[in-house]
Tab-separated table of all heavy atoms in Angstrom:
chain	number	residue	atom	x	y	z
A	1	ILE	N	10.696	16.149	8.120
A	1	ILE	CA	9.963	16.171	6.854
A	1	ILE	C	10.312	14.958	6.000
A	1	ILE	O	9.485	14.486	5.199
A	1	ILE	CB	10.241	17.479	6.073
A	1	ILE	CG1	9.157	17.711	5.006
A	1	ILE	CG2	11.611	17.464	5.444
A	1	ILE	CD1	7.787	17.985	5.547
A	2	ALA	N	11.524	14.426	6.177
A	2	ALA	CA	11.904	13.217	5.437
A	2	ALA	C	11.006	12.047	5.825
A	2	ALA	O	10.671	11.205	4.978
A	2	ALA	CB	13.368	12.870	5.707
A	3	MET	N	10.580	11.994	7.088
A	3	MET	CA	9.657	10.938	7.519
A	3	MET	C	8.348	11.004	6.745
A	3	MET	O	7.788	9.976	6.343
A	3	MET	CB	9.367	11.060	9.019
A	3	MET	CG	10.537	10.810	9.927
A	3	MET	SD	9.985	10.897	11.651
A	3	MET	CE	11.558	11.107	12.472
A	4	PHE	N	7.848	12.224	6.543
A	4	PHE	CA	6.595	12.389	5.799
A	4	PHE	C	6.732	11.853	4.387
A	4	PHE	O	5.865	11.102	3.905
A	4	PHE	CB	6.197	13.864	5.769
A	4	PHE	CG	5.173	14.186	4.719
A	4	PHE	CD1	3.859	13.786	4.873
A	4	PHE	CD2	5.533	14.874	3.566
A	4	PHE	CE1	2.913	14.064	3.890
A	4	PHE	CE2	4.593	15.164	2.589
A	4	PHE	CZ	3.282	14.753	2.752
A	5	PHE	N	7.803	12.218	3.700
A	5	PHE	CA	7.983	11.762	2.320
A	5	PHE	C	8.195	10.248	2.259
A	5	PHE	O	7.750	9.591	1.308
A	5	PHE	CB	9.140	12.500	1.662
A	5	PHE	CG	8.862	13.952	1.406
A	5	PHE	CD1	9.598	14.936	2.042
A	5	PHE	CD2	7.853	14.340	0.550
A	5	PHE	CE1	9.338	16.280	1.819
A	5	PHE	CE2	7.579	15.679	0.318
A	5	PHE	CZ	8.318	16.655	0.961
A	6	GLN	N	8.854	9.689	3.250
A	6	GLN	CA	9.047	8.241	3.279
A	6	GLN	C	7.727	7.514	3.482
A	6	GLN	O	7.469	6.474	2.863
A	6	GLN	CB	10.041	7.885	4.382
A	6	GLN	CG	11.472	8.285	4.060
A	6	GLN	CD	12.376	8.311	5.283
A	6	GLN	OE1	11.919	8.201	6.425
A	6	GLN	NE2	13.668	8.480	5.061
A	7	LEU	N	6.872	8.062	4.335
A	7	LEU	CA	5.550	7.466	4.543
A	7	LEU	C	4.703	7.573	3.275
A	7	LEU	O	3.984	6.633	2.914
A	7	LEU	CB	4.844	8.150	5.711
A	7	LEU	CG	5.359	7.797	7.104
A	7	LEU	CD1	4.750	8.717	8.155
A	7	LEU	CD2	5.040	6.339	7.440
A	8	TYR	N	4.772	8.720	2.610
A	8	TYR	CA	4.033	8.882	1.361
A	8	TYR	C	4.532	7.897	0.311
A	8	TYR	O	3.738	7.305	-0.443
A	8	TYR	CB	4.174	10.315	0.852
A	8	TYR	CG	3.567	10.531	-0.518
A	8	TYR	CD1	2.182	10.551	-0.693
A	8	TYR	CD2	4.377	10.707	-1.639
A	8	TYR	CE1	1.624	10.733	-1.951
A	8	TYR	CE2	3.828	10.895	-2.896
A	8	TYR	CZ	2.450	10.904	-3.044
A	8	TYR	OH	1.900	11.092	-4.293
A	9	LEU	N	5.842	7.691	0.254
A	9	LEU	CA	6.424	6.729	-0.684
A	9	LEU	C	5.871	5.327	-0.430
A	9	LEU	O	5.465	4.622	-1.362
A	9	LEU	CB	7.948	6.730	-0.533
A	9	LEU	CG	8.741	5.859	-1.513
A	9	LEU	CD1	8.765	6.500	-2.893
A	9	LEU	CD2	10.171	5.659	-1.020
A	10	ALA	N	5.831	4.919	0.838
A	10	ALA	CA	5.300	3.598	1.182
A	10	ALA	C	3.814	3.500	0.861
A	10	ALA	O	3.330	2.452	0.398
A	10	ALA	CB	5.540	3.318	2.665
A	11	THR	N	3.070	4.579	1.080
A	11	THR	CA	1.634	4.590	0.791
A	11	THR	C	1.377	4.401	-0.694
A	11	THR	O	0.519	3.599	-1.101
A	11	THR	CB	1.010	5.924	1.256
A	11	THR	OG1	1.258	6.113	2.638
A	11	THR	CG2	-0.494	5.923	1.013
A	12	VAL	N	2.114	5.125	-1.529
A	12	VAL	CA	1.954	5.011	-2.982
A	12	VAL	C	2.327	3.616	-3.455
A	12	VAL	O	1.640	3.025	-4.314
A	12	VAL	CB	2.813	6.073	-3.705
A	12	VAL	CG1	2.824	5.830	-5.212
A	12	VAL	CG2	2.297	7.465	-3.399
A	13	PHE	N	3.383	3.061	-2.895
A	13	PHE	CA	3.828	1.720	-3.297
A	13	PHE	C	2.759	0.678	-2.991
A	13	PHE	O	2.431	-0.172	-3.838
A	13	PHE	CB	5.135	1.368	-2.588
A	13	PHE	CG	5.668	0.014	-2.946
A	13	PHE	CD1	6.213	-0.218	-4.203
A	13	PHE	CD2	5.629	-1.033	-2.036
A	13	PHE	CE1	6.697	-1.481	-4.551
A	13	PHE	CE2	6.113	-2.286	-2.374
A	13	PHE	CZ	6.650	-2.513	-3.632
A	14	LEU	N	2.184	0.732	-1.789
A	14	LEU	CA	1.136	-0.224	-1.435
A	14	LEU	C	-0.102	-0.019	-2.287
A	14	LEU	O	-0.732	-0.984	-2.731
A	14	LEU	CB	0.779	-0.089	0.049
A	14	LEU	CG	1.503	-1.005	1.032
A	14	LEU	CD1	0.914	-0.874	2.423
A	14	LEU	CD2	1.447	-2.458	0.577
A	15	GLU	N	-0.472	1.224	-2.506
A	15	GLU	CA	-1.644	1.501	-3.341
A	15	GLU	C	-1.445	0.949	-4.748
A	15	GLU	O	-2.367	0.391	-5.345
A	15	GLU	CB	-1.897	3.008	-3.397
A	15	GLU	CG	-3.121	3.384	-4.213
A	15	GLU	CD	-3.347	4.883	-4.248
A	15	GLU	OE1	-2.614	5.571	-4.984
A	15	GLU	OE2	-4.254	5.357	-3.530
A	16	MET	N	-0.240	1.094	-5.272
A	16	MET	CA	0.063	0.583	-6.602
A	16	MET	C	-0.134	-0.931	-6.664
A	16	MET	O	-0.699	-1.464	-7.621
A	16	MET	CB	1.496	0.946	-6.985
A	16	MET	CG	1.918	0.486	-8.367
A	16	MET	SD	3.630	0.927	-8.734
A	16	MET	CE	4.501	-0.144	-7.565
A	17	LEU	N	0.325	-1.633	-5.637
A	17	LEU	CA	0.180	-3.088	-5.607
A	17	LEU	C	-1.283	-3.513	-5.534
A	17	LEU	O	-1.682	-4.530	-6.124
A	17	LEU	CB	0.937	-3.659	-4.409
A	17	LEU	CG	2.455	-3.482	-4.369
A	17	LEU	CD1	3.035	-4.118	-3.115
A	17	LEU	CD2	3.108	-4.082	-5.608
A	18	LEU	N	-2.096	-2.729	-4.830
A	18	LEU	CA	-3.480	-3.117	-4.581
A	18	LEU	C	-4.411	-2.765	-5.737
A	18	LEU	O	-5.221	-3.594	-6.161
A	18	LEU	CB	-3.977	-2.459	-3.294
A	18	LEU	CG	-3.297	-2.949	-2.007
A	18	LEU	CD1	-3.635	-2.043	-0.839
A	18	LEU	CD2	-3.707	-4.386	-1.698
A	19	VAL	N	-4.324	-1.550	-6.257
A	19	VAL	CA	-5.289	-1.122	-7.284
A	19	VAL	C	-4.991	-1.723	-8.647
A	19	VAL	O	-5.870	-1.768	-9.505
A	19	VAL	CB	-5.339	0.423	-7.399
A	19	VAL	CG1	-5.709	1.051	-6.077
A	19	VAL	CG2	-4.035	0.983	-7.931
A	20	THR	N	-3.767	-2.201	-8.864
A	20	THR	CA	-3.399	-2.739	-10.175
A	20	THR	C	-3.532	-4.259	-10.261
A	20	THR	O	-3.200	-4.847	-11.290
A	20	THR	CB	-1.941	-2.359	-10.515
A	20	THR	OG1	-1.068	-2.890	-9.520
A	20	THR	CG2	-1.789	-0.854	-10.595
A	21	ASN	N	-3.991	-4.894	-9.187
A	21	ASN	CA	-4.188	-6.344	-9.140
A	21	ASN	C	-2.881	-7.123	-9.068
A	21	ASN	O	-2.852	-8.330	-9.286
A	21	ASN	CB	-4.989	-6.831	-10.364
A	21	ASN	CG	-5.593	-8.211	-10.155
A	21	ASN	OD1	-6.177	-8.491	-9.108
A	21	ASN	ND2	-5.452	-9.089	-11.142
A	22	ILE	N	-1.780	-6.432	-8.765
A	22	ILE	CA	-0.534	-7.165	-8.503
A	22	ILE	C	-0.741	-8.053	-7.276
A	22	ILE	O	-0.249	-9.182	-7.213
A	22	ILE	CB	0.630	-6.179	-8.299
A	22	ILE	CG1	0.904	-5.414	-9.599
A	22	ILE	CG2	1.893	-6.911	-7.847
A	22	ILE	CD1	1.957	-4.345	-9.493
A	23	ILE	N	-1.467	-7.526	-6.293
A	23	ILE	CA	-1.992	-8.350	-5.198
A	23	ILE	C	-3.475	-8.517	-5.486
A	23	ILE	O	-4.254	-7.588	-5.300
A	23	ILE	CB	-1.782	-7.680	-3.825
A	23	ILE	CG1	-0.301	-7.471	-3.561
A	23	ILE	CG2	-2.400	-8.521	-2.720
A	23	ILE	CD1	-0.008	-6.752	-2.259
A	24	PRO	N	-3.914	-9.675	-5.954
A	24	PRO	CA	-5.315	-9.847	-6.362
A	24	PRO	C	-6.276	-9.691	-5.176
A	24	PRO	O	-5.937	-10.001	-4.032
A	24	PRO	CB	-5.349	-11.282	-6.900
A	24	PRO	CG	-3.927	-11.643	-7.167
A	24	PRO	CD	-3.112	-10.889	-6.179
A	25	THR	N	-7.464	-9.227	-5.484
A	25	THR	CA	-8.471	-9.057	-4.427
A	25	THR	C	-8.874	-10.394	-3.809
A	25	THR	O	-9.320	-10.437	-2.670
A	25	THR	CB	-9.719	-8.357	-4.991
A	25	THR	OG1	-10.214	-9.108	-6.111
A	25	THR	CG2	-9.377	-6.947	-5.449
A	26	ALA	N	-8.720	-11.471	-4.570
A	26	ALA	CA	-9.066	-12.797	-4.049
A	26	ALA	C	-7.987	-13.377	-3.150
A	26	ALA	O	-8.215	-14.393	-2.474
A	26	ALA	CB	-9.331	-13.755	-5.211
A	27	SER	N	-6.835	-12.741	-3.110
A	27	SER	CA	-5.725	-13.250	-2.299
A	27	SER	C	-6.031	-13.127	-0.811
A	27	SER	O	-6.667	-12.162	-0.367
A	27	SER	CB	-4.443	-12.495	-2.634
A	27	SER	OG	-3.405	-12.823	-1.727
A	28	ILE	N	-5.562	-14.067	-0.035
A	28	ILE	CA	-5.748	-14.024	1.415
A	28	ILE	C	-4.975	-12.869	2.040
A	28	ILE	O	-5.280	-12.414	3.145
A	28	ILE	CB	-5.306	-15.377	2.047
A	28	ILE	CG1	-5.775	-15.464	3.496
A	28	ILE	CG2	-3.789	-15.550	1.934
A	28	ILE	CD1	-5.511	-16.815	4.126
A	29	LEU	N	-3.961	-12.367	1.316
A	29	LEU	CA	-3.148	-11.255	1.821
A	29	LEU	C	-3.775	-9.894	1.553
A	29	LEU	O	-3.360	-8.898	2.161
A	29	LEU	CB	-1.757	-11.304	1.174
A	29	LEU	CG	-0.900	-12.532	1.472
A	29	LEU	CD1	0.396	-12.466	0.678
A	29	LEU	CD2	-0.605	-12.643	2.964
A	30	TYR	N	-4.753	-9.839	0.653
A	30	TYR	CA	-5.309	-8.539	0.260
A	30	TYR	C	-5.848	-7.739	1.447
A	30	TYR	O	-5.552	-6.535	1.550
A	30	TYR	CB	-6.394	-8.729	-0.798
A	30	TYR	CG	-6.856	-7.422	-1.409
A	30	TYR	CD1	-6.209	-6.892	-2.519
A	30	TYR	CD2	-7.930	-6.705	-0.872
A	30	TYR	CE1	-6.615	-5.685	-3.087
A	30	TYR	CE2	-8.333	-5.499	-1.426
A	30	TYR	CZ	-7.684	-4.999	-2.532
A	30	TYR	OH	-8.077	-3.804	-3.070
A	31	PRO	N	-6.633	-8.332	2.354
A	31	PRO	CA	-7.128	-7.533	3.492
A	31	PRO	C	-6.008	-6.974	4.366
A	31	PRO	O	-6.121	-5.851	4.876
A	31	PRO	CB	-7.991	-8.527	4.275
A	31	PRO	CG	-8.374	-9.571	3.283
A	31	PRO	CD	-7.196	-9.687	2.365
A	32	PHE	N	-4.924	-7.727	4.536
A	32	PHE	CA	-3.821	-7.267	5.384
A	32	PHE	C	-3.079	-6.093	4.728
A	32	PHE	O	-2.745	-5.110	5.401
A	32	PHE	CB	-2.852	-8.423	5.654
A	32	PHE	CG	-3.457	-9.536	6.457
A	32	PHE	CD1	-3.988	-10.660	5.843
A	32	PHE	CD2	-3.517	-9.454	7.842
A	32	PHE	CE1	-4.549	-11.680	6.580
A	32	PHE	CE2	-4.072	-10.471	8.605
A	32	PHE	CZ	-4.593	-11.588	7.963
A	33	PHE	N	-2.842	-6.210	3.420
A	33	PHE	CA	-2.170	-5.113	2.720
A	33	PHE	C	-3.071	-3.874	2.643
A	33	PHE	O	-2.582	-2.746	2.722
A	33	PHE	CB	-1.749	-5.546	1.318
A	33	PHE	CG	-0.469	-6.323	1.284
A	33	PHE	CD1	-0.463	-7.714	1.300
A	33	PHE	CD2	0.751	-5.669	1.243
A	33	PHE	CE1	0.722	-8.421	1.277
A	33	PHE	CE2	1.954	-6.372	1.214
A	33	PHE	CZ	1.930	-7.754	1.236
A	34	THR	N	-4.379	-4.099	2.496
A	34	THR	CA	-5.302	-2.967	2.470
A	34	THR	C	-5.349	-2.274	3.822
A	34	THR	O	-5.361	-1.034	3.904
A	34	THR	CB	-6.712	-3.441	2.078
A	34	THR	OG1	-6.660	-4.095	0.803
A	34	THR	CG2	-7.681	-2.267	2.004
A	35	ALA	N	-5.368	-3.056	4.891
A	35	ALA	CA	-5.342	-2.475	6.234
A	35	ALA	C	-4.061	-1.675	6.449
A	35	ALA	O	-4.086	-0.578	7.027
A	35	ALA	CB	-5.460	-3.580	7.287
A	36	ALA	N	-2.936	-2.207	5.961
A	36	ALA	CA	-1.667	-1.483	6.070
A	36	ALA	C	-1.709	-0.203	5.251
A	36	ALA	O	-1.201	0.845	5.687
A	36	ALA	CB	-0.518	-2.371	5.612
A	37	HIS	N	-2.328	-0.265	4.077
A	37	HIS	CA	-2.427	0.934	3.237
A	37	HIS	C	-3.268	2.018	3.911
A	37	HIS	O	-2.890	3.195	3.943
A	37	HIS	CB	-3.040	0.570	1.886
A	37	HIS	CG	-3.315	1.755	1.013
A	37	HIS	ND1	-4.587	2.211	0.757
A	37	HIS	CD2	-2.479	2.602	0.351
A	37	HIS	CE1	-4.530	3.275	-0.017
A	37	HIS	NE2	-3.267	3.531	-0.281
A	38	LEU	N	-4.410	1.623	4.472
A	38	LEU	CA	-5.255	2.597	5.170
A	38	LEU	C	-4.526	3.176	6.382
A	38	LEU	O	-4.646	4.367	6.687
A	38	LEU	CB	-6.559	1.932	5.606
A	38	LEU	CG	-7.478	1.453	4.475
A	38	LEU	CD1	-8.683	0.731	5.040
A	38	LEU	CD2	-7.911	2.610	3.600
A	39	GLY	N	-3.766	2.322	7.068
A	39	GLY	CA	-2.966	2.802	8.190
A	39	GLY	C	-1.922	3.807	7.743
A	39	GLY	O	-1.698	4.819	8.415
A	40	LEU	N	-1.303	3.559	6.593
A	40	LEU	CA	-0.286	4.480	6.080
A	40	LEU	C	-0.895	5.796	5.624
A	40	LEU	O	-0.283	6.856	5.777
A	40	LEU	CB	0.471	3.828	4.921
A	40	LEU	CG	1.547	2.809	5.306
A	40	LEU	CD1	2.077	2.101	4.065
A	40	LEU	CD2	2.692	3.484	6.056
């Protein structure tokens, strides 16, 4: 169950970076982080 909570923690962290523009949508890294977020 600790694995589940750790994955959820990583998912929330990535979502926070993406939806708040900390990683801008115009950035070349945005698609990679978004793909990682969807994977998580």
Side-chain angles (χ1 to χ4, degrees):
I1 198 66
M3 294 183 198
F4 163 73
F5 291 116
Q6 288 163 350
L7 286 170
Y8 174 72
L9 185 74
T11 303
V12 171
F13 180 72
L14 267 187
E15 182 180 76
M16 181 181 68
L17 297 180
L18 293 168
V19 302
T20 60
N21 198 46
I22 295 176
I23 299 177
T25 56
S27 171
I28 192 174
L29 297 176
Y30 189 88
F32 295 96
F33 279 95
T34 303
H37 174 252
L38 295 176
L40 281 172

